[in-house]
Amino acid sequence: MRDIDVLIDSDRGSVLHPFTQLKDFATGKSGPPTIVTGGKGIRIQDATGRSYIDGFAGLYCVNIGYGRTEVAEAISRQAHALAYYHSYAAHTTEELAVLGQRLVRMAPGKMSKVFFGLSGSDANETQAKLVWYYNNLRGRPQKKKIISRERGYHGCSVIAGSMTGMSFYHDYMDLPFAGILHAGVPHHYWGAAPGESEEAFSRRRAAELDALIVREGPDTVGAFIAEPVLGTGGLTPPPKGYWREIQQVLKRHDVLLIADEVICGFGRTGRDFGSQLYDMEPDLVTVAKGLTSGYMPLSGAIVSEKIYSVMEEAADRVGSFSHGYTYTGHPISAAAANAVLDIFEKEKLTERAEKVGAYLQRRLRESFSSVDIVGEVRGVGLLAAVEFVADRERKRRFDPALKVGARVSKAARDRGLIARAMPHGDILGFAPPLIITEAEVDEIVAIAVEAVNEVMDELAREKR
Ligand code: PLP
């Protein structure tokens, strides 16, 4: 092992870290970087020898847990046999061909083909191009606008970053791009009028979407993109009836549905895909994260028969499908994905997420629902959030300067639990590996309770 201080200096001097306050990092105010050196099961270890429960599975991706030698061996086998070949002009590899068929078969909706990329962002970028391509091929060159939702998260590249519906991902970066619009977020706790039921709130959100499409002109709106369960924007399951109402509006105006399954896909919600939980019938499906459990970078834009048939039909007229990356269908990533999907199937991780997820949801509600600074405990499967508020009665948020969510997350971390302070509001997020046991859920909840108590005590002292 190299000297830790040398590594810290070298990292600080050279790496531009995502989502990091640059000055605090450069000056050391926010502390040294955590050098992560190993992982096993639901735990990771840092270079100082400290161990943490990873209650967020990296960035909601390490679904099979850390240290799975089966996947490491599959990666090694492929690297020895053939580390790279491209998939342009009808080249393929064994692992890619197998993976493509597996994904098309398991995906929600009537799917036909998968276009492979390396990140959720690039897959959503591909989805936008597919929407434009499809409508051009169908002779509807105006039907191009894409509607996403406030607080939706779809990535950080130019179009995917524009789809993301939080202003701090846009500020100073000249986003969002023209032609990407945002509809209202379906969060009943914050958005509903007093006494408004979940169903009525869903109908209202659908009516607003309808009005937005009519205002823009239905012949100019190509697609609606959404996560089945809102992720980074707050880990918020949809209110009752939401997806039924929304899909009726989309059908009425012939607007495609892109299901961004980057978090929900591969078991997280207790179904293989979030779309299945809410009876969504997407035209395009985005997958990444759980597809390889983060062991290698890989994403997919899965294309329905409805869209693909138009593309194939037009090929004599328009020539090749001119989109692709050097690493599209990378064989090592495909080998990792096949090994991960083997584990996913063999260990029935979807059923496990449903069962242990129900336990997590129950334990969090029992522990936090009546805590003074908790406004809402929510989630589905192994995706959960505790949202903190200054005033439960009046539903008033804390002053953002108090950084309550970040402080609870830090207090948990100091006790050996990684639970993420979500970027929008004061929210503590949980998305552990799907292999987690009920006993490990108990450990997570016990630490989270201590962390919340510590911050509540601090806030009470600061008030005096
Ligand atoms: N879509 C969703 C729903 C996500 O949660 C994320 C990342 O968190 C992305 C897309 C972007 O994926 P990536 O960070 O791999 O570009």
mmCIF file of all heavy atoms in Angstrom, residues 14-39:
data_model
loop_
_atom_site.group_PDB
_atom_site.id
_atom_site.type_symbol
_atom_site.label_atom_id
_atom_site.label_comp_id
_atom_site.label_asym_id
_atom_site.label_seq_id
_atom_site.Cartn_x
_atom_site.Cartn_y
_atom_site.Cartn_z
ATOM 1 N N SER A 14 -4.675 16.718 -8.263
ATOM 2 C CA SER A 14 -4.862 16.334 -9.667
ATOM 3 C C SER A 14 -6.285 15.947 -10.063
ATOM 4 O O SER A 14 -6.637 16.060 -11.237
ATOM 5 C CB SER A 14 -3.948 15.147 -9.995
ATOM 6 O OG SER A 14 -4.300 14.035 -9.199
ATOM 7 N N VAL A 15 -7.105 15.490 -9.127
ATOM 8 C CA VAL A 15 -8.409 14.944 -9.543
ATOM 9 C C VAL A 15 -9.501 15.994 -9.388
ATOM 10 O O VAL A 15 -9.629 16.607 -8.321
ATOM 11 C CB VAL A 15 -8.771 13.681 -8.704
ATOM 12 C CG1 VAL A 15 -10.142 13.152 -9.112
ATOM 13 C CG2 VAL A 15 -7.715 12.593 -8.890
ATOM 14 N N LEU A 16 -10.263 16.205 -10.447
ATOM 15 C CA LEU A 16 -11.418 17.103 -10.386
ATOM 16 C C LEU A 16 -12.619 16.250 -9.983
ATOM 17 O O LEU A 16 -13.153 15.487 -10.789
ATOM 18 C CB LEU A 16 -11.643 17.762 -11.746
ATOM 19 C CG LEU A 16 -12.752 18.810 -11.851
ATOM 20 C CD1 LEU A 16 -12.610 19.912 -10.818
ATOM 21 C CD2 LEU A 16 -12.779 19.411 -13.247
ATOM 22 N N HIS A 17 -13.010 16.340 -8.728
ATOM 23 C CA HIS A 17 -14.050 15.441 -8.205
ATOM 24 C C HIS A 17 -15.451 15.953 -8.528
ATOM 25 O O HIS A 17 -15.733 17.137 -8.344
ATOM 26 C CB HIS A 17 -13.921 15.316 -6.682
ATOM 27 C CG HIS A 17 -12.763 14.475 -6.249
ATOM 28 N ND1 HIS A 17 -12.846 13.111 -6.151
ATOM 29 C CD2 HIS A 17 -11.492 14.805 -5.914
ATOM 30 C CE1 HIS A 17 -11.668 12.632 -5.752
ATOM 31 N NE2 HIS A 17 -10.834 13.641 -5.615
ATOM 32 N N PRO A 18 -16.342 15.024 -8.941
ATOM 33 C CA PRO A 18 -17.727 15.427 -9.164
ATOM 34 C C PRO A 18 -18.405 15.800 -7.845
ATOM 35 O O PRO A 18 -18.056 15.240 -6.798
ATOM 36 C CB PRO A 18 -18.385 14.168 -9.748
ATOM 37 C CG PRO A 18 -17.363 13.107 -9.800
ATOM 38 C CD PRO A 18 -16.105 13.603 -9.184
ATOM 39 N N PHE A 19 -19.346 16.729 -7.932
ATOM 40 C CA PHE A 19 -20.196 17.074 -6.780
ATOM 41 C C PHE A 19 -19.392 17.281 -5.504
ATOM 42 O O PHE A 19 -19.664 16.690 -4.467
ATOM 43 C CB PHE A 19 -21.296 16.018 -6.598
ATOM 44 C CG PHE A 19 -22.155 15.914 -7.821
ATOM 45 C CD1 PHE A 19 -22.045 14.832 -8.679
ATOM 46 C CD2 PHE A 19 -23.022 16.940 -8.160
ATOM 47 C CE1 PHE A 19 -22.791 14.774 -9.853
ATOM 48 C CE2 PHE A 19 -23.775 16.884 -9.323
ATOM 49 C CZ PHE A 19 -23.658 15.804 -10.167
ATOM 50 N N THR A 20 -18.387 18.123 -5.627
ATOM 51 C CA THR A 20 -17.496 18.405 -4.508
ATOM 52 C C THR A 20 -17.274 19.911 -4.447
ATOM 53 O O THR A 20 -17.080 20.536 -5.499
ATOM 54 C CB THR A 20 -16.145 17.673 -4.733
ATOM 55 O OG1 THR A 20 -16.415 16.264 -4.784
ATOM 56 C CG2 THR A 20 -15.125 17.942 -3.650
ATOM 57 N N GLN A 21 -17.347 20.507 -3.243
ATOM 58 C CA GLN A 21 -17.067 21.939 -3.103
ATOM 59 C C GLN A 21 -15.562 22.107 -3.295
ATOM 60 O O GLN A 21 -14.759 21.671 -2.456
ATOM 61 C CB GLN A 21 -17.535 22.403 -1.717
ATOM 62 C CG GLN A 21 -18.046 23.825 -1.666
ATOM 63 C CD GLN A 21 -16.927 24.866 -1.528
ATOM 64 O OE1 GLN A 21 -15.761 24.658 -1.898
ATOM 65 N NE2 GLN A 21 -17.298 26.030 -1.008
ATOM 66 N N LEU A 22 -15.187 22.712 -4.416
ATOM 67 C CA LEU A 22 -13.786 22.646 -4.838
ATOM 68 C C LEU A 22 -12.835 23.348 -3.866
ATOM 69 O O LEU A 22 -11.756 22.837 -3.567
ATOM 70 C CB LEU A 22 -13.641 23.220 -6.246
ATOM 71 C CG LEU A 22 -14.441 22.485 -7.336
ATOM 72 C CD1 LEU A 22 -14.203 23.112 -8.703
ATOM 73 C CD2 LEU A 22 -14.098 20.990 -7.380
ATOM 74 N N LYS A 23 -13.265 24.507 -3.376
ATOM 75 C CA LYS A 23 -12.343 25.254 -2.501
ATOM 76 C C LYS A 23 -12.179 24.544 -1.156
ATOM 77 O O LYS A 23 -11.060 24.406 -0.651
ATOM 78 C CB LYS A 23 -12.854 26.664 -2.297
ATOM 79 C CG LYS A 23 -11.816 27.581 -1.699
ATOM 80 C CD LYS A 23 -12.219 29.011 -1.872
ATOM 81 C CE LYS A 23 -10.997 29.886 -2.040
ATOM 82 N NZ LYS A 23 -11.391 31.207 -2.484
ATOM 83 N N ASP A 24 -13.300 24.091 -0.584
ATOM 84 C CA ASP A 24 -13.213 23.382 0.698
ATOM 85 C C ASP A 24 -12.327 22.146 0.566
ATOM 86 O O ASP A 24 -11.574 21.793 1.479
ATOM 87 C CB ASP A 24 -14.611 22.943 1.187
ATOM 88 C CG ASP A 24 -15.422 24.119 1.711
ATOM 89 O OD1 ASP A 24 -14.858 25.228 1.838
ATOM 90 O OD2 ASP A 24 -16.630 23.931 1.973
ATOM 91 N N PHE A 25 -12.411 21.501 -0.587
ATOM 92 C CA PHE A 25 -11.584 20.306 -0.810
ATOM 93 C C PHE A 25 -10.118 20.696 -0.979
ATOM 94 O O PHE A 25 -9.218 20.109 -0.362
ATOM 95 C CB PHE A 25 -12.091 19.547 -2.042
ATOM 96 C CG PHE A 25 -11.303 18.291 -2.320
ATOM 97 C CD1 PHE A 25 -11.316 17.241 -1.418
ATOM 98 C CD2 PHE A 25 -10.540 18.170 -3.479
ATOM 99 C CE1 PHE A 25 -10.583 16.083 -1.660
ATOM 100 C CE2 PHE A 25 -9.809 17.025 -3.732
ATOM 101 C CZ PHE A 25 -9.836 15.973 -2.821
ATOM 102 N N ALA A 26 -9.888 21.736 -1.791
ATOM 103 C CA ALA A 26 -8.504 22.138 -2.079
ATOM 104 C C ALA A 26 -7.788 22.607 -0.814
ATOM 105 O O ALA A 26 -6.602 22.332 -0.612
ATOM 106 C CB ALA A 26 -8.493 23.242 -3.131
ATOM 107 N N THR A 27 -8.525 23.315 0.065
ATOM 108 C CA THR A 27 -7.885 23.874 1.261
ATOM 109 C C THR A 27 -7.880 22.891 2.423
ATOM 110 O O THR A 27 -7.298 23.158 3.470
ATOM 111 C CB THR A 27 -8.624 25.142 1.720
ATOM 112 O OG1 THR A 27 -10.001 24.798 1.954
ATOM 113 C CG2 THR A 27 -8.548 26.244 0.680
ATOM 114 N N GLY A 28 -8.597 21.792 2.265
ATOM 115 C CA GLY A 28 -8.636 20.805 3.349
ATOM 116 C C GLY A 28 -9.759 21.054 4.345
ATOM 117 O O GLY A 28 -9.948 20.284 5.290
ATOM 118 N N LYS A 29 -10.538 22.150 4.146
ATOM 119 C CA LYS A 29 -11.606 22.468 5.101
ATOM 120 C C LYS A 29 -12.618 21.316 5.233
ATOM 121 O O LYS A 29 -13.137 21.054 6.305
ATOM 122 C CB LYS A 29 -12.325 23.742 4.616
ATOM 123 C CG LYS A 29 -13.328 24.290 5.595
ATOM 124 C CD LYS A 29 -13.888 25.627 5.118
ATOM 125 C CE LYS A 29 -15.149 25.962 5.895
ATOM 126 N NZ LYS A 29 -15.931 27.005 5.238
ATOM 127 N N SER A 30 -12.886 20.651 4.112
ATOM 128 C CA SER A 30 -13.867 19.557 4.167
ATOM 129 C C SER A 30 -13.193 18.210 4.466
ATOM 130 O O SER A 30 -13.803 17.161 4.325
ATOM 131 C CB SER A 30 -14.645 19.489 2.852
ATOM 132 O OG SER A 30 -13.756 19.382 1.756
ATOM 133 N N GLY A 31 -11.941 18.264 4.873
ATOM 134 C CA GLY A 31 -11.237 17.028 5.240
ATOM 135 C C GLY A 31 -10.576 16.373 4.047
ATOM 136 O O GLY A 31 -10.730 16.820 2.900
ATOM 137 N N PRO A 32 -9.818 15.321 4.311
ATOM 138 C CA PRO A 32 -9.114 14.642 3.221
ATOM 139 C C PRO A 32 -10.072 13.761 2.418
ATOM 140 O O PRO A 32 -11.156 13.438 2.897
ATOM 141 C CB PRO A 32 -8.102 13.766 3.966
ATOM 142 C CG PRO A 32 -8.754 13.487 5.280
ATOM 143 C CD PRO A 32 -9.598 14.689 5.615
ATOM 144 N N PRO A 33 -9.687 13.386 1.210
ATOM 145 C CA PRO A 33 -10.522 12.426 0.480
ATOM 146 C C PRO A 33 -10.543 11.089 1.226
ATOM 147 O O PRO A 33 -9.573 10.746 1.902
ATOM 148 C CB PRO A 33 -9.804 12.268 -0.871
ATOM 149 C CG PRO A 33 -8.397 12.701 -0.623
ATOM 150 C CD PRO A 33 -8.448 13.721 0.475
ATOM 151 N N THR A 34 -11.666 10.387 1.125
ATOM 152 C CA THR A 34 -11.726 9.038 1.693
ATOM 153 C C THR A 34 -11.164 8.094 0.637
ATOM 154 O O THR A 34 -11.702 8.025 -0.473
ATOM 155 C CB THR A 34 -13.188 8.657 1.995
ATOM 156 O OG1 THR A 34 -13.743 9.644 2.853
ATOM 157 C CG2 THR A 34 -13.280 7.290 2.663
ATOM 158 N N ILE A 35 -10.097 7.407 0.961
ATOM 159 C CA ILE A 35 -9.499 6.485 -0.012
ATOM 160 C C ILE A 35 -10.120 5.110 0.231
ATOM 161 O O ILE A 35 -9.837 4.458 1.241
ATOM 162 C CB ILE A 35 -7.970 6.430 0.142
ATOM 163 C CG1 ILE A 35 -7.387 7.850 0.026
ATOM 164 C CG2 ILE A 35 -7.357 5.498 -0.894
ATOM 165 C CD1 ILE A 35 -5.920 7.938 0.391
ATOM 166 N N VAL A 36 -10.976 4.701 -0.690
ATOM 167 C CA VAL A 36 -11.701 3.441 -0.511
ATOM 168 C C VAL A 36 -10.835 2.320 -1.070
ATOM 169 O O VAL A 36 -10.381 2.383 -2.211
ATOM 170 C CB VAL A 36 -13.070 3.497 -1.215
ATOM 171 C CG1 VAL A 36 -13.868 2.238 -0.938
ATOM 172 C CG2 VAL A 36 -13.852 4.722 -0.742
ATOM 173 N N THR A 37 -10.583 1.320 -0.249
ATOM 174 C CA THR A 37 -9.611 0.299 -0.659
ATOM 175 C C THR A 37 -10.212 -1.087 -0.880
ATOM 176 O O THR A 37 -9.624 -1.919 -1.553
ATOM 177 C CB THR A 37 -8.511 0.154 0.417
ATOM 178 O OG1 THR A 37 -9.161 -0.067 1.678
ATOM 179 C CG2 THR A 37 -7.654 1.393 0.504
ATOM 180 N N GLY A 38 -11.369 -1.341 -0.280
ATOM 181 C CA GLY A 38 -11.911 -2.690 -0.442
ATOM 182 C C GLY A 38 -13.373 -2.746 -0.059
ATOM 183 O O GLY A 38 -13.933 -1.787 0.482
ATOM 184 N N GLY A 39 -14.001 -3.881 -0.376
ATOM 185 C CA GLY A 39 -15.404 -4.044 -0.018
ATOM 186 C C GLY A 39 -15.776 -5.508 0.023
ATOM 187 O O GLY A 39 -15.200 -6.330 -0.710
#
